[in-house]
Amino acid sequence: MAQSRTLLDKIWDAHLVRPETEDAPAILYVDLHLVHEVTSPQAFTVLRERGLRVRHPERTVATMDHSTPTLPRVNGRFPFAHGDAETQVETLARNCREHGIELHELGSRNQGIVHVIGPELGLTKPGMTVVCGDSHTSTHGAFGALAFGIGTSEVAHVLATQCLLQRKPKTMRVSIEGALQPGVTAKDVILAVIAKLGVGGGTGSVIEYAGRTVSAMSIEERMTVCNMSIEAGARAGMVGSGAWQTDEGARFDREIAVDVSRLAPMITWGTDPGTAIPVDGNVPEDAPQKSATYMGVKPGAPLLGTKIDVVFVGSCTNGRLSDLRAAASVLRGRRIASGVRVLIVPGSQQVKRAAESEGLDKVFRDAGAEWREPGCSMCIAMNGDALAPGQAAVSTSNRNFEGRQGKGGRTFLASPLTAAAAAVAGAIADPREVLR
Amino acid sequence: MKLLKGRAVVVLRPNIDTDQIIPARFLRTTRREGLGVALFADRPEFLQGQTGSILVAGENFGCGSSREHAPWALLDHGFRAVISSSIADIFRSNAIKNGLVPVQIPDTSQLRGEVAIDLETCTVECEGRRQSFALDPFARHCLINEIDELGYLLAAEKEIAAFEARR
Ligand code: SF4
């Protein structure tokens, strides 16, 4: 009888051009290569220098998201905050034209964050290998795909050969059980998982999320969970889908069980994504002083009531329709606290249109929030949407590293519900109180 | 390159992420060159008063994004190797592709002053103390012989075409 295999084993085996040996990594075939303006220009330069062509333009899809403005056109021109960002975008357009690559450019119907539009356009499918010069490529694992981020040299490898040199990662299964309480979301689940594993806990591994909680999740919720796998150091995150499932009895290198039946909404207090605590909990007594000082929080003290300046709802973690609906459920009929700036950035043009057709844009505007054009925006703060030094933000994105959302900015990571509750309170607040 | 000798620059902070190595605002470039000025741009205290070509960092170095700008910035600044008790996956892969040597050893606390890294024997030597480190044999081969992985993949063209034909 054939040996029981994990989902990773199956996808891996199906894409082996050449198996690995002790001396050399495997040559792994890539089904779908997603490209954006920030990590690709130097890869296209390599192709140009060597006189190479893109091997499979039809397996390559590009978008503009990281450095693009999220304000509408002024006199027909996009309001780039930085000229070099405009150069990047033009460079991508030229490279795509030259190599016959489908491009969803700024202002076009299907433009958006690369990990939002891939699934939206039906590009990501079970059993595929998907790569992109971006660490949150793990998002696509929600569809039962093996999806991971690569560096720019590897972007060149895939453009030229449709292949990558890879060692097979280790496997880890995170089994999640328990029904989520009201006000608790997929974002809270993954923040809790990262807090448990630690930011380096998944290094060298691909995490498969399993258990009844995950089976009960919608595809968008699964994407939120898989998205943040990299914040535990994992290469990828995945969930079985359709015919692509781990066999009964298959062995993982590591197994972890998480019970979420009593989970509270989570929020990070520190400067790495592994620092989540219940929103009504206290900053750990042994919190490293450096991070606590940077964040302006006190070890042992509660986070509730901590004043904030900005709320950001968006990113490839929580910038899809269901996330905007969640934020709107809190903001409907309420006003944002005075002095707080709230930025709502849909993950894609499709998400934007869908939200507008439901009137969510009006809910946000009536509450006093800014309704923006799609892009990465303040998740990475490359496009001019940034925190000012010292400002504190509750953000639905995925990284709270020092300066991530603007030099000197302080980021508290949370779900769209928790972020919206903070917008109304002007301080860190418990969404369960607002929803009650 | 088989032997690498240089002065250690010690920054024993854990979780030095890619945003600290090179903040995102320096990523609005279409080039690989000249990123040394952006290295630790918001962390001037890291390198203050220290010069050298071997970075000794705390655990989980290079976590975060896939930006290859991180090793580009380190190399352009003059670093040739990074030593840590753990190095994030994508950073390590990016480093190797650019000839920046990633060295993972359990105990980095003794490393200071002159450090020698021998890729032939996979050992680090400092003040007469020698520690071995694990390095993927292929990565080692590529680093020693300055082999370019793209060339290696291009040479597999027949196999790639055969794979495409049979699926
Ligand atoms: S939204 Fe943030 S994490 Fe996602 S791709 Fe954009 S910059 Fe990266």
Side-chain angles (χ1 to χ4, degrees):
Chain A
M1 204 186 89
Q3 228 193 328
S4 297
R5 290 186 301 163
T6 64
L7 175 55
L8 172 70
D9 294 332
K10 292 179 186 181
I11 301 180
W12 185 266
D13 293 349
H15 291 85
L16 278 180
V17 170
R18 185 194 291 173
E20 72 183 301
T21 63
E22 190 162 332
D23 291 335
I27 298 181
L28 194 71
Y29 197 76
V30 172
D31 292 320
L32 174 64
H33 184 195
L34 302 170
V35 171
H36 65 83
E37 77 278 18
V38 174
T39 56
S40 67
Q42 298 87 349
F44 282 105
T45 303
V46 169
L47 261 57
R48 206 164 294 125
E49 284 166 358
R50 299 205 183 193
L52 296 167
R53 298 292 304 165
V54 173
R55 183 177 179 92
H56 287 294
E58 80 286 2
R59 290 189 178 276
T60 316
V61 175
T63 186
M64 299 169 168
D65 54 4
H66 281 66
S67 62
T68 53
T70 55
L71 286 167
R73 274 177 262 217
V74 183
N75 300 328
R77 283 189 64 93
F78 291 102
F80 278 94
H82 307 275
D84 42 10
E86 194 163 6
T87 307
Q88 254 182 352
V89 158
E90 284 164 0
T91 305
L92 178 64
R94 184 165 16 92
N95 286 329
C96 287
R97 257 195 322 272
E98 213 175 291
H99 291 276
I101 294 168
E102 177 181 329
L103 168 67
H104 298 283
E105 65 184 331
L106 204 49
S108 67
R109 272 187 71 74
N110 293 323
Q111 174 264 344
I113 303 172
V114 62
H115 311 309
V116 177
I117 71 160
E120 226 168 44
L121 298 172
L123 301 172
T124 311
K125 294 194 196 82
M128 271 189 163
T129 46
V130 181
V131 302
C132 172
D134 188 283
S135 61
H136 293 98
T137 308
S138 60
T139 314
H140 306 261
F143 292 80
L146 172 60
F148 54 93
I150 57 177
T152 296
S153 294
E154 291 177 314
V155 171
H157 296 177
V158 180
L159 288 174
T161 70
Q162 205 58 35
C163 289
L164 278 175
L165 288 167
Q166 291 285 306
R167 290 281 182 194
K168 190 173 176 187
K170 290 203 172 70
T171 52
M172 184 190 300
R173 178 157 60 188
V174 175
S175 301
I176 308 174
E177 298 288 345
L180 297 176
Q181 302 282 331
V184 182
T185 67
K187 179 65 164 286
D188 304 298
V189 170
I190 189 61
L191 285 173
V193 169
I194 299 163
K196 187 174 168 112
L197 285 175
V199 286
T203 304
S205 305
V206 167
I207 300 178
E208 180 176 337
Y209 300 95
R212 271 165 298 193
T213 314
V214 178
S215 315
M217 282 182 182
S218 69
I219 192 73
E220 296 200 354
E221 291 173 307
R222 295 179 189 188
M223 285 166 78
T224 299
V225 170
C226 289
N227 173 276
M228 289 192 74
S229 305
I230 180 76
E231 304 326 325
R235 283 297 270 140
M238 54 188 357
V239 177
S241 172
W244 292 88
Q245 303 284 351
T246 287
D247 293 333
E248 194 91 34
R251 294 182 55 131
F252 288 79
D253 295 305
R254 196 174 160 199
E255 296 243 25
I256 286 182
V258 184
D259 177 6
V260 293
S261 55
R262 290 181 186 188
L263 192 71
M266 301 292 279
I267 189 163
T268 59
W269 64 264
T271 53
D272 72 63
T275 59
I277 56 171
V279 69
D280 55 353
N282 294 345
V283 178
E285 290 285 358
D286 60 351
Q289 197 52 56
K290 270 209 169 95
S291 310
T293 306
Y294 182 86
M295 291 301 295
V297 301
K298 267 205 210 71
L303 277 183
L304 281 180
T306 305
K307 289 266 175 291
I308 53 141
D309 307 289
V310 174
V311 167
F312 172 68
V313 177
S315 87
C316 59
T317 312
N318 284 125
R320 286 172 289 270
L321 186 60
S322 56
D323 302 308
L324 301 184
R325 283 180 182 157
S329 73
V330 172
L331 294 175
R332 189 170 282 116
R334 293 197 171 88
R335 284 291 302 173
I336 285 158
S338 76
V340 175
R341 179 184 183 204
V342 179
L343 228 69
I344 311 227
V345 186
S348 70
Q349 294 288 354
Q350 282 199 34
V351 169
K352 181 167 183 259
R353 283 194 298 276
E356 289 177 350
S357 76
E358 294 182 10
L360 300 186
D361 57 323
K362 188 167 183 319
V363 173
F364 296 136
R365 284 203 176 98
D366 288 350
E370 298 173 42
W371 176 244
R372 294 296 192 94
E373 293 295 314
C376 297
S377 180
M378 208 185 268
C379 173
I380 189 163
M382 287 183 68
N383 72 335
D385 300 341
L387 296 177
Q391 278 192 326
V394 175
S395 176
T396 68
S397 55
N398 43 56
R399 287 191 176 138
N400 53 354
F401 300 148
E402 291 185 29
R404 167 76 178 189
Q405 296 195 282
K407 191 175 173 180
R410 304 189 279 207
T411 301
F412 297 90
L413 299 174
S415 74
L417 286 177
T418 306
V424 173
I428 293 175
D430 191 332
R432 293 170 298 188
E433 299 290 326
V434 187
L435 293 168
R436 191 170 289 156
Chain B
M1 175 181 57
K2 287 181 182 154
L3 191 65
L4 216 122
K5 284 183 176 167
R7 254 195 112 63
V9 170
V10 182
V11 189
L12 285 180
R13 288 267 307 237
N15 305 324
I16 296 179
D17 54 71
T18 48
D19 280 83
Q20 293 183 63
I21 300 172
I22 177 167
R25 62 182 184 278
F26 295 102
L27 270 45
R28 290 187 300 254
T29 172
T30 53
R31 305 174 64 235
R32 276 164 291 190
E33 300 78 17
L35 290 170
V37 290
L39 182 71
F40 300 133
D42 296 338
R43 296 312 218 143
E45 73 275 18
F46 279 6
L47 301 183
Q48 214 159 44
Q50 298 194 75
T51 51
S53 58
I54 295 176
L55 182 67
V56 180
E59 62 171 337
N60 200 28
F61 183 83
C63 59
S65 92
S66 62
R67 60 188 72 160
E68 202 158 314
H69 310 70
W72 292 336
L74 284 158
L75 282 161
D76 192 52
H77 190 277
F79 285 107
R80 294 290 165 264
V82 174
I83 307 181
S84 166
S85 60
S86 65
I87 299 177
D89 289 334
I90 309 180
F91 178 87
R92 182 176 340 105
S93 156
N94 284 339
I96 291 162
K97 289 178 180 58
N98 291 279
L100 179 72
V101 179
V103 175
Q104 210 165 296
I105 51 172
D107 180 15
T108 53
S109 62
Q110 308 296 320
L111 299 177
R112 62 179 75 88
E114 293 299 321
V115 173
I117 299 167
D118 188 338
L119 283 171
E120 208 68 74
T121 58
C122 283
T123 51
V124 184
E125 198 180 327
C126 177
E127 294 180 342
R129 184 161 168 245
R130 198 188 280 253
Q131 289 188 72
S132 19
F133 61 90
L135 185 63
D136 183 90
F138 185 74
R140 180 170 155 265
H141 176 70
C142 289
L143 285 166
I144 291 178
N145 303 298
E146 289 171 33
I147 290 185
D148 133 68
E149 294 188 10
L150 179 52
Y152 181 94
L153 275 170
L154 287 166
E157 153 62 27
K158 279 215 178 80
E159 275 169 89
I160 299 171
F163 177 88
E164 287 174 333
R166 75 173 175 260
R167 58 193 313 237

